[in-house]
Amino acid sequence: MERPAWAPRSIDISVPSVSRIYDYYLGGSHNFEVDRQAARRAMEFMPGLPKITQANRAFMRRAVRYAAGRGITQFLDIGSGIPAFGNVHEVARAAVPGARVVYVDHDPVAVAHSQAVLEGDEDADVVAADLRKPREILSSPQVGQLLDLERPVALLLVAILHFVEDEDDPYAAVAELSAALAPGSLLVLTHASYEGIPLPPRRAEGAVDVYKDIRNPLIMRSRDEIARFFEGYDMVEPGLVPMPHWRPETAPEDEDPYAFSGFAGVGRTP
């Protein structure tokens, strides 16, 4: 397999990546054939996966606008993935010029492309780090230089927690990040679930098994399990709901049925 010029030399292009699979679902071009093969296998069981990723992005944009409309000018986006149209810094600055954003991802392709997109941008940067190690994120030079943790921050965990297994204690990771946030900060979160998928669970499990096969298990949690991530937060109306129902800008009944797979919510620190 020929290595594209944009692919960092340090990555193994024969191994699929969830960031690059996500990029493929969104119609991006920074993915390899091995990623496309895994995505197509998953779509054989769950053909609406691209619609789910689009619903995630649409929710993220609405939540960022919500945060900016309430005076938040700092954003920490963990599991940010490969840059696509309508990134957090673009959406935030359309509402609040000068908004500061730190992106975090552990995928080298996502980090490399974020660095390219943000070159020369003094108010945004990217950290190569893992959600499972919150201290490394919080102590990074990028966070130290760009974010004032004594003021409210919007913490984005969009479509990332379902890739953290229970043995890695995602609840503890979110709690540690939350403890570092000032009062009035927001937690913006989406998470995959069997609830809402317009398929029999057994068929949906076929797509989940594809992620298990590529050693990036997709952990489907219940609504109650997802709600636990918001402990210590006051939920913003309408609470933890399917993505199209969170402060929609278009009629939810017009959405594709797959867009209702999983849950989205925003919480505010008291």
Side-chain angles (χ1 to χ4, degrees):
M1 183 188 305
E2 185 176 348
R3 181 181 298 271
W6 50 262
R9 302 297 304 178
S10 59
I11 68 170
D12 183 349
I13 63 175
S14 68
V15 177
S17 152
V18 293
S19 293
R20 300 193 303 269
I21 291 171
Y22 194 89
D23 178 68
Y24 174 76
Y25 291 149
L26 288 173
S29 59
H30 293 105
N31 48 76
F32 308 130
E33 182 56 29
V34 67
D35 305 307
R36 296 187 284 273
Q37 288 175 356
R40 288 192 289 263
R41 289 207 324 271
M43 289 168 63
E44 288 176 7
F45 297 97
M46 200 183 300
L49 280 165
K51 293 294 184 182
I52 297 173
T53 60
Q54 291 165 19
N56 266 282
R57 295 285 296 182
F59 161 77
M60 178 274 288
R61 290 192 290 267
R62 296 197 304 275
V64 168
R65 286 194 288 269
Y66 171 85
R70 276 139 191 84
I72 291 182
T73 61
Q74 306 183 105
F75 298 82
L76 178 58
D77 183 4
I78 301 178
S80 51
I82 295 170
F85 176 75
N87 286 318
V88 172
H89 69 284
E90 296 168 333
V91 177
R93 289 175 188 169
V96 183
R100 294 189 166 195
V101 180
V102 175
Y103 294 104
V104 181
D105 208 288
H106 70 276
D107 184 293
V109 172
V111 173
H113 281 281
S114 296
Q115 290 171 334
V117 167
L118 299 174
E119 186 176 3
D121 189 329
E122 296 182 354
D123 292 325
D125 208 340
V126 59
V127 180
D130 194 312
L131 169 62
R132 293 169 294 187
K133 299 178 180 178
R135 193 167 302 174
E136 291 184 7
I137 296 171
L138 295 170
S139 63
S140 67
Q142 296 91 331
V143 168
Q145 292 167 8
L146 287 177
L147 304 184
D148 178 2
L149 298 182
E150 298 298 316
R151 296 171 45 240
V153 173
L155 169 62
L156 282 76
L157 300 174
V158 176
I160 179 64
L161 285 165
H162 47 236
F163 290 113
V164 183
E165 297 181 82
D166 290 340
E167 63 190 45
D168 291 319
D169 203 349
Y171 297 103
V174 174
E176 186 172 347
L177 290 164
S178 299
L181 302 180
S185 295
L186 298 179
L187 171 60
V188 177
L189 182 155
T190 68
H191 198 297
S193 176
Y194 285 120
E195 299 175 41
I197 295 178
L199 286 174
R202 185 175 295 274
R203 182 163 180 82
E205 285 172 5
V208 173
D209 287 343
V210 171
Y211 283 90
K212 189 182 301 182
D213 290 343
I214 66 171
R215 300 180 182 178
N216 283 285
L218 178 58
I219 312 302
M220 306 292 267
R221 296 187 171 98
S222 69
R223 185 185 184 281
D224 288 345
E225 289 171 326
I226 298 166
R228 283 182 55 200
F229 289 112
F230 288 101
E231 288 183 1
Y233 288 87
D234 296 328
M235 293 302 294
V236 170
E237 289 293 333
L240 186 62
V241 295
M243 291 175 285
H245 286 304
W246 198 88
R247 297 178 177 256
E249 296 170 350
T250 57
E253 55 267 25
D254 294 337
E255 294 283 352
D256 186 280
Y258 276 97
F260 296 86
S261 305
F263 294 95
V266 176
R268 180 187 292 108
T269 55

